[in-house]
Amino acid sequence: KRIGEFIGRKPSLVALDLDDNGIGDAGVEWIASALTMNTTLSYLSMRNNDISAEGGRKLCDALVFNLTMTVMY
């Protein structure tokens, strides 16, 4: 939840590496929600976080609203 809040409120954020943080699908929901509001983040890495296909779909759905994201792992 706090990561999502951070992403949503940090307008100068352009890159974020969240690899190996155990985020899981619950955390992805918060991050996906924040991505719909963030207009500066262009790089996001979330490797090795136990995110399922459903969590991946939530991220993809959020990217419809985020036009600045160019790299996501």
Side-chain angles (χ1 to χ4, degrees), residues 19-66:
D19 293 351
D20 304 303
N21 276 290
I23 292 169
D25 288 342
V28 163
E29 288 189 46
W30 290 102
I31 292 169
S33 177
L35 287 177
T36 65
M37 296 177 280
N38 182 289
T39 59
T40 58
L41 190 65
S42 62
Y43 173 93
L44 177 61
S45 183
M46 296 193 312
R47 291 180 233 179
N48 303 316
N49 276 297
D50 299 319
I51 299 169
S52 72
E54 180 61 28
R57 276 191 284 278
K58 289 179 183 185
L59 285 172
C60 288
D61 290 345
L63 292 177
V64 170
F65 301 98
N66 183 308

